[in-house]
Amino acid sequence: MKYYEKPIVLANEELAEGVYAASGGNCWAPTIISTQDYVDGKHIFEVHNVHSTSVEHISAGYTVQITCSAPVTSASAENNWACSISGNVVTVTRTSHANGYKSGDDTSFKVWIGTGDEATTKSLTATITCTNCDWQVNVQGNGANGN
């Protein structure tokens, strides 16, 4: 090198390579079934969630809301995933489950829900919705745009 050239830094707001996309979207279709009505004061439900085949992205997790037929006093989810209670709604965030890009992947996990009363816990019913999919752009080829 004969002489020093000062490096130049360029910023271009329109370019993005390997940058993660924002969270959002609703690409999972959840269902919930009762597997046991009373074990150690809890009703056990199993959540199944199928990933859409119409979007292509890497899924890092999702959040579901389980609405129960009675107010909930306790709830926990498999693998100690984040679980919160508000009245008769249990919110569970399942993370680090795998890639879910344009594949129809099916995931499942159990949730233990109690009402503080045996008869009410045994007769508990639930419905479910998927409220958020934490996704990232698929940087593994073709530059898919996420959703």
Side-chain angles (χ1 to χ4, degrees):
M1 184 152 91
K2 295 184 180 183
Y3 59 91
Y4 174 77
E5 287 186 36
K6 184 177 178 181
I8 298 172
V9 176
L10 300 174
N12 188 332
E13 300 285 327
E14 296 176 13
L15 294 178
E17 184 175 329
V19 176
Y20 293 134
S23 294
N26 191 0
C27 54
W28 291 93
T31 58
I32 189 167
I33 59 169
S34 171
T35 58
Q36 291 181 299
D37 66 3
Y38 199 75
V39 177
D40 296 327
K42 303 285 191 303
H43 194 120
I44 303 172
F45 292 94
E46 188 164 350
V47 173
H48 289 272
N49 227 352
V50 178
H51 190 269
S52 171
T53 57
S54 64
V55 293
E56 183 175 347
H57 60 243
I58 297 170
S59 181
Y62 57 78
T63 301
V64 294
Q65 282 191 332
I66 301 166
T67 304
C68 298
S69 57
V72 175
T73 58
S74 62
S76 60
E78 194 171 325
N79 293 325
N80 292 320
W81 286 309
C83 189
S84 64
I85 302 166
S86 178
N88 67 331
V89 176
V90 177
T91 302
V92 181
T93 300
R94 185 180 197 271
T95 57
S96 302
H97 62 281
N99 290 338
Y101 44 84
K102 204 172 182 177
S103 62
D105 284 347
D106 182 3
T107 64
S108 64
F109 63 93
K110 290 192 170 107
V111 180
W112 291 261
I113 300 174
T115 64
D117 173 72
E118 182 176 351
T120 306
T121 299
K122 282 183 175 181
S123 65
L124 201 61
T125 60
T127 59
I128 190 167
T129 56
C130 186
T131 59
N132 183 55
C133 174
D134 182 14
W135 58 271
Q136 301 164 356
V137 170
N138 182 2
V139 294
Q140 297 177 346
N142 296 340
N145 68 356
N147 265 339

